[in-house]
Amino acid sequence: MADFFLQLPTDERRDALSVAAASSGRPIHLLDKDVWVVWVLEVLFQAPFATHLVFKGGSSLSKAYQIIRRFSEDVDLTYDIRVLAPDLVGGDAEPLPLNRSQEKRWTKEIRTRLPLWINDQVVPLISRALSAQRLSARLSTEGEKVFIEYEPVAKGSGYTRPTVMLEFGARSTGEPCEMRPVRCDAAHHLPGVVFPAANPRVMRPERTFWEKATAIHVFCVQGEFRGGNRFARHWHDITRLDRAGIVKTAIADRALSLAVARHKAIFFAEKDSDGAAIDYQAAVTGALQLVPHDKALESLSLDYAQMVEDGLLLDDAEPFSELLDHCRELQERANR
């Protein structure tokens, strides 16, 4: 009879992941965290609300599409705005506020309703699953984020924490999306052990490219990343999307790029380093900037080095200069 991995004693889980680490070349602490990432996806996408939930971001590229060979430690999710706020958006296929005043009202309502929905639906669901499976982890929330703090079987450099963060949003539909299977990285190396597995609804990688490319553009024209550290992953991810042929398709899909630009212009309006409004539509139609300058370049280089040091890149990491060269070429191609 096969053993359920998360119900094994700590020392047996450590021994099992040591075998998987030796076979895969991946650090034990990342294999450990990956199990918890897949476990929570399994729990979420078996819930009644799963038909309105979309898994997105770097973790989706890695776990659902195997496009990037990078450990993505957090889980980004979108809950359909049409379900959370039907009284605001109506039945529009692309629900967007008509003006800045309406955007402020929508955003205020979403920031009020989403944490309430999380505490009413998501937290009890995860809590029940932890209890039913007799798993030891501490659950906490902070606004639109849920944290699952588990006891690690091994420790890394400190760059990756033994906490899975679920970050929820509800300002879009999450479309285009599709169902994709998700498995634990260690499962292939330990056939005698039963690992969590999930089948989430996942944002299509073409949209993920434009989400990441426009976020990079903002960093470049502002000269800083306001979301804290751990931002070099975006540059790595778009080069892997390019190698997978996704960027070519994404660039050709003008309707998709403009939809992302319209959405960000309304919900994520930003200003550049001179105080001028960032024009997302211009960015996706010939003025995209993917390579930063000066201090921003230095901070990007440092974050990239830290990401490599902790083993988050599962393949050999290219030199930072090569990564930038690829992004520079990609920028030129997109702008053509």
Side-chain angles (χ1 to χ4, degrees):
M1 182 176 178
D3 295 313
F4 288 91
F5 177 79
L6 283 174
Q7 294 179 349
L8 294 172
T10 302
D11 58 342
E12 292 186 28
R13 282 186 282 133
R14 183 185 304 111
D15 291 343
L17 292 184
S18 295
V19 173
S23 299
S24 66
R26 303 177 187 179
I28 295 176
H29 70 287
L30 297 187
L31 291 171
D32 186 26
K33 186 165 187 175
D34 176 71
V35 174
W36 282 97
V37 167
V38 178
W39 178 84
V40 75
L41 286 173
E42 180 180 50
V43 171
L44 291 173
F45 283 92
Q46 288 179 343
F49 58 70
T51 53
H52 307 300
L53 196 64
V54 174
F55 177 34
K56 65 174 186 175
S59 294
S60 73
L61 297 180
S62 172
K63 298 304 300 177
Y65 289 101
Q66 294 80 49
I67 287 174
I68 63 173
R69 295 270 299 163
R70 171 180 72 79
F71 182 76
S72 189
E73 55 183 323
D74 298 324
V75 179
D76 291 325
L77 300 147
T78 288
Y79 189 60
D80 196 331
I81 188 174
R82 295 170 298 189
V83 178
L84 186 70
D87 54 314
L88 298 179
V89 306
D92 293 345
E94 185 186 2
L96 288 174
L98 298 176
N99 50 53
R100 183 61 60 197
S101 176
Q102 193 176 72
E103 180 273 324
K104 289 180 179 179
R105 185 164 66 90
W106 284 26
T107 297
K108 181 180 179 180
E109 282 295 320
I110 290 166
R111 285 176 175 168
T112 300
R113 298 182 194 188
L114 186 56
L116 291 175
W117 174 79
I118 290 170
N119 283 289
D120 182 58
Q121 298 289 328
V122 177
V123 172
L125 175 76
I126 297 174
S127 182
R128 288 194 299 269
L130 288 170
S131 178
Q133 298 179 38
R134 302 186 302 278
L135 303 180
S136 179
R138 191 171 71 89
L139 195 59
S140 61
T141 63
E142 183 182 310
E144 299 170 356
K145 298 177 182 179
V146 177
F147 301 90
I148 303 168
E149 185 178 352
Y150 60 92
E151 187 64 35
V153 302
K155 295 184 179 180
S157 69
Y159 187 79
T160 302
R161 298 158 296 182
T163 302
V164 176
M165 181 181 76
L166 310 178
E167 186 164 7
F168 290 87
R171 291 180 174 86
S172 74
T173 65
E175 297 168 331
C177 61
E178 62 185 347
M179 302 289 290
R180 299 285 296 188
V182 170
R183 304 293 179 262
C184 294
D185 292 343
H188 175 72
H189 306 280
L190 296 165
V193 180
V194 176
F195 285 89
N199 288 284
R201 297 170 74 237
V202 187
M203 181 178 285
R204 286 285 308 166
E206 291 83 1
R207 174 155 191 151
T208 303
F209 165 74
W210 281 116
E211 296 279 357
K212 285 181 172 290
T214 48
I216 290 173
H217 177 81
V218 170
F219 173 90
C220 291
V221 299
Q222 288 182 338
E224 60 180 341
F225 196 85
R226 297 176 181 173
N229 57 4
R230 295 177 172 85
F231 49 84
R233 63 188 188 272
H234 297 309
W235 279 258
H236 170 270
D237 292 355
I238 63 170
T239 63
R240 280 7 183 221
L241 281 162
D242 191 31
R243 291 179 183 177
I246 298 299
V247 172
K248 181 178 180 181
T249 307
I251 290 173
D253 192 340
R254 182 57 58 86
L256 177 61
S257 64
L258 289 174
V260 171
R262 285 192 297 270
H263 185 266
K264 287 208 168 185
I266 291 291
F267 284 113
F268 300 96
E270 294 278 0
K271 294 183 178 180
D272 62 23
S273 58
D274 295 324
I278 292 176
D279 188 338
Y280 287 103
Q281 183 164 328
V284 303
T285 56
L288 187 66
Q289 187 175 341
L290 300 178
V291 180
H293 303 289
D294 304 326
K295 290 185 179 180
L297 188 60
E298 293 177 17
S299 61
L300 176 60
S301 175
L302 178 61
D303 192 66
Y304 182 74
Q306 291 175 331
M307 182 174 67
V308 172
E309 180 185 359
D310 200 44
L312 268 68
L313 300 187
L314 306 180
D315 290 328
D316 291 336
E318 71 264 55
F320 183 66
S321 60
E322 289 185 15
L323 180 73
L324 286 186
D325 286 343
H326 190 159
C327 289
R328 189 173 290 108
E329 188 276 331
L330 199 162
Q331 170 185 299
E332 294 172 358
R333 192 170 358 120
N335 288 336
R336 285 200 301 270

